Amino acid sequence: PSFCDKILKLISETVQFHIAKLFPVESRDAYHIHTYALNGCFGLIKEWLNSPVESHDAPEHMAELAFSMLLATFTATNEKSK
């Protein structure tokens, strides 16, 4: 598998783990949130990797940023579904 495939798999597994805590397995919302989160995280990482090296933020910062955005998405969606 390519580097991108490995990144997508890692993101997908992480997102799926957190979504499973919030939604029933067959939920259409869970499917849409997974798609949104996967593509958003991958797009963020892809843009970061394609930007000039001298403008790169630290990998730790990017990981924290991605996680914060995912957490905000999960929290907002979970609150809305109550």
Side-chain angles (χ1 to χ4, degrees):
S2 71
F3 176 73
C4 289
D5 291 338
K6 290 177 185 177
I7 293 292
L8 280 170
K9 184 176 188 290
L10 176 64
I11 296 169
S12 181
E13 289 170 355
T14 302
V15 168
Q16 194 61 37
F17 173 78
H18 290 285
I19 289 174
K21 294 179 181 180
L22 300 174
F23 298 96
V25 175
E26 297 299 320
S27 169
R28 291 292 298 159
D29 285 349
Y31 170 79
H32 295 306
I33 292 166
H34 180 265
T35 301
Y36 173 83
L38 179 64
N39 286 292
C41 281
F42 185 70
L44 179 69
I45 292 168
K46 186 177 170 185
E47 281 299 309
W48 179 70
L49 290 173
N50 287 331
S51 67
V53 173
E54 60 273 4
S55 68
H56 274 190
D57 289 306
E60 296 82 7
H61 173 74
M62 296 306 293
E64 289 173 10
L65 182 61
F67 185 75
S68 294
M69 289 189 285
L70 285 175
L71 190 58
T73 299
F74 296 152
T75 301
T77 305
N78 192 34
E79 289 298 318
K80 184 180 176 189
S81 67
K82 288 182 179 180

